[in-house]
Amino acid sequence: MENKGQAVNHPPLFKGTNYNYWKQRMITFFDACHIDMWDFVEHGNYIPLDDAGRELPKAHWNEEQKHRFILNSKAQNALICALIEEEYTKVHNFKSAKQMWDTLALTYEGSLEVKCNKLILLVHKYELFEMEENESIQTMFGRFQTIINELSFLGRTYDNFDHIDKLLRSLPRKRRP
């Protein structure tokens, strides 16, 4: 019997679309692999340096430094396994999982200016949200949830009271309680 779901030991595949969805799944994958792995991807800092800021030879690494290097290598491996060839070519030369992750984020989320513009457009979409003619409540709720999730990815959240109020006001008068 073929398993159609995602195996725990295999990262979710990124094909160049739905980056935010993949990103959240990948963060969960890192957490499931090791409690510190996401921290290494997010913050980097895996190559031991001497007081002058030069890389220490591996022969001089202590156990903690070796552990950090291994976590970075495992995170890099997970990222490489999670990318189709076209995406892999964008990040394969980097030494750290952080560099790989940041490059993908910049490519698919954009710069701070791009994120701000996306946020402005999404807030506007949220504020003007209405149920479309002949749309089911389930479809409307799905569209609304997508907007909320995209806003959340960009750091803008609303509380549940705001969501409920917005949804109720978005219903046509004949459907309002």
Side-chain angles (χ1 to χ4, degrees):
M1 182 173 157
E2 185 179 319
N3 183 1
K4 301 271 184 191
Q6 194 68 44
V8 174
N9 61 352
H10 187 71
L13 187 63
F14 181 57
K15 299 177 183 177
T17 59
N18 298 321
Y19 175 77
N20 286 329
Y21 172 71
W22 174 81
K23 174 183 171 181
Q24 293 304 314
R25 293 183 67 211
M26 203 63 200
I27 291 169
T28 303
F29 180 82
F30 288 132
D31 285 340
C33 289
H34 190 281
I35 193 167
D36 295 325
M37 191 175 288
W38 170 239
D39 184 57
F40 280 84
V41 174
E42 190 175 30
H43 296 74
N45 190 20
Y46 75 99
I47 295 283
L49 306 174
D50 64 17
D51 293 336
R54 295 179 302 245
E55 281 188 33
L56 281 174
K58 286 183 183 178
H60 293 89
W61 291 1
N62 63 34
E63 289 306 310
E64 174 62 23
Q65 291 165 329
K66 290 176 185 177
H67 174 71
R68 295 172 69 78
F69 182 82
I70 289 169
L71 276 180
N72 178 72
S73 296
K74 287 181 178 184
Q76 279 185 290
N77 183 52
L79 281 167
I80 288 169
C81 290
L83 302 174
I84 63 168
E85 185 176 355
E86 184 180 335
E87 301 306 320
Y88 165 79
T89 60
K90 295 173 185 171
V91 299
H92 74 282
N93 285 325
F94 295 120
K95 283 186 159 188
S96 76
K98 177 176 178 36
Q99 290 171 312
M100 295 168 76
W101 186 264
D102 289 350
T103 298
L104 290 168
L106 186 59
T107 302
Y108 291 98
E109 291 180 329
S111 65
L112 186 56
E113 183 179 350
V114 169
K115 287 181 185 179
C116 287
N117 288 336
K118 283 182 183 178
L119 183 59
I120 290 168
L121 289 172
L122 283 167
V123 167
H124 186 69
K125 205 172 186 180
Y126 178 88
E127 290 171 355
L128 297 179
F129 186 84
E130 287 184 349
M131 185 175 193
E132 295 175 358
E133 193 173 324
N134 298 322
E135 183 177 39
S136 71
I137 290 179
Q138 291 82 4
T139 302
M140 178 196 76
F141 184 74
R143 278 191 317 110
F144 186 70
Q145 195 64 45
T146 298
I147 294 169
I148 291 168
N149 289 339
E150 289 176 1
L151 284 166
S152 178
F153 288 139
L154 294 172
R156 178 71 181 262
T157 58
Y158 297 87
D159 64 30
N160 283 339
F161 177 79
D162 291 330
H163 295 324
I164 293 166
D165 184 54
K166 182 66 187 162
L167 278 172
L168 290 175
R169 286 186 289 112
S170 300
L171 293 171
R173 291 205 183 274
K174 65 181 180 179
R175 290 197 153 176
R176 291 185 189 171

